[in-house]
Amino acid sequence: MAVLVGILVAASFGSGDFLGGLAARRAPTPTVLGWSQLVALAGAVAVAFAGGGTATPRDLALGAGSGVLNVAALGCLYRALAIGRNGQVAPVTAVIGSLIPVTWGVARGERPSTAVVVGIALAVVAGAMVSSERVERHGHFVRRAMPLAVAAGIGFGTSLILFASTSRHSGFWPVLSARACAMVCVVLVVAATRATARRPPASAKGTPRGQAALAGLLDVSGAALLLVALRHGLTATVAPVAALAPGFTVAHAWWYLRERASPVQVAGLALALGGLFLIALG
C-alpha cells in the first residue's frame, strides 16, 4: 500500500515540478508560485474538510513548518528548472531530498528488511540515472542552478520529516496549515521584492497561468498522498519511492519537449522498477 501511494506521490510531484518549471520560463517565479499556491490552498481546504480528523496545535505547527520549507524549495526548484535543464537539476534535488528523511528514519530506529534496503539504494540511484545528462559547458549549471537544486533538496527532505512527525488522527489538516503558510510566504516575498502579482501570460504554445494552476493542484494532491503513505509505511521506505518524482519530470520532457532519452536514462527506468519490486517484497 505504502509503495503504491508513494508512486502516486512521485507522479504528482514530478508532473507538478515539470509544469511549474515550464511556466517559470515565461513568467516571474513569484508569480508562478503565487498562482500555484493559491490553487493548492483551495484544494487543501477541500481535502482537510473531506478527510476529517482532529489536529492538535503541534500538528498544525508541523504542517505550517513543512509548508514554509516546501514553498521555499519549490521556488528554488522552479528557478533552477527555468535557468537549467530538467536532467541536471532533478538528480541533485532528488538524491538530497530522499537521503535526508531516510537518514532520519534510520536514526529513529526504523529497520527496513534487507530487500527493502537494497530496493531503496536502487531507487535513489535510479532517480539520478533517469535524470542524468551531460553538464552544460562554461559551468553554467554549477554556478547558477546547482546551489538552487541543493537548497530545493534540503527543503523537500526536511519538509517530509515534518509531515511524518504529525499524528495519525490529525487527518489532512496539516496539509491545510502547510498550504496556508506557504501562501502567506509567497505574498510576503512578492511584497518584499516588489514583484508583480499579475496573471502569468498566455501564449499559443500553452498558458503559464494554466500550467501554474495545475502545478498547484498536483502539489496539494502529492502532499495529501504523502501523508497517507507515511502513515502506512516506514519513512525510510516511502521517501526513496517518492524521490522517483524526477523520472516523471524527465518523462514529460521526453514526451512534450521531445528531449531524447539516453541509454543511461533507459537503464535508470529499469533499475527503478527493480528497486520498487524489492521494496514491495519487503
Side-chain angles (χ1 to χ4, degrees):
M1 173 65 177
V3 174
L4 175 60
V5 178
I7 294 174
L8 293 177
V9 170
S12 296
F13 284 148
S15 300
D17 291 345
F18 172 77
L19 289 170
L22 195 62
R25 293 185 178 187
R26 290 178 287 161
T29 299
T31 300
V32 174
L33 273 177
W35 277 89
S36 67
Q37 292 308 302
L38 183 62
V39 172
L41 178 58
V45 171
V47 168
F49 280 98
T54 304
T56 64
R58 177 179 179 276
D59 292 323
L60 296 178
L62 288 171
S66 178
V68 171
L69 289 171
N70 184 263
V71 75
L74 278 176
C76 291
L77 180 61
Y78 287 175
R79 182 56 184 163
L81 289 171
I83 64 177
R85 294 176 64 91
N86 288 314
Q88 295 172 332
V89 173
V92 176
T93 300
V95 172
I96 293 177
S98 62
L99 287 181
I100 289 177
V102 167
T103 303
W104 178 79
V106 172
R108 290 177 65 247
E110 294 184 1
R111 294 295 180 265
S113 66
T114 302
V116 171
V117 171
V118 175
I120 287 172
L122 292 179
V124 173
V125 173
M129 291 177 64
V130 169
S131 312
S132 65
E133 290 184 30
R134 290 182 300 175
V135 177
E136 292 179 355
R137 296 179 181 178
H138 311 303
H140 174 77
F141 170 67
V142 174
R143 289 198 312 268
R144 299 181 60 190
M146 185 174 182
L148 293 172
V150 171
I154 294 173
F156 286 136
T158 309
S159 173
L160 189 149
I161 290 175
L162 294 181
F163 258 149
S165 300
T166 60
S167 60
R168 287 176 176 266
H169 63 264
S170 62
F172 294 116
W173 292 104
V175 176
L176 177 56
S177 65
R179 297 279 67 82
C181 284
M183 189 70 235
V184 171
C185 288
V186 171
V187 171
L188 291 176
V189 168
V190 170
T193 60
R194 296 182 180 180
T196 177
R198 68 179 184 277
R199 290 191 293 180
S203 74
K205 295 183 179 180
T207 64
R209 171 188 324 160
Q211 292 163 352
L214 187 53
L217 183 61
L218 289 168
D219 181 36
V220 71
S221 298
L225 289 169
L226 180 61
L227 267 184
V228 173
L230 290 172
R231 290 169 180 174
H232 288 82
L234 299 175
T235 302
T237 301
V238 174
V241 177
L244 292 174
F248 291 91
T249 304
V250 175
H252 287 301
W254 293 349
W255 181 260
Y256 294 107
L257 302 182
R258 297 294 187 267
E259 293 184 1
R260 297 179 60 185
S262 69
V264 173
Q265 290 173 320
V266 175
L269 288 175
L271 196 63
L273 292 176
L276 290 175
F277 177 74
L278 289 176
I279 293 174
L281 283 181

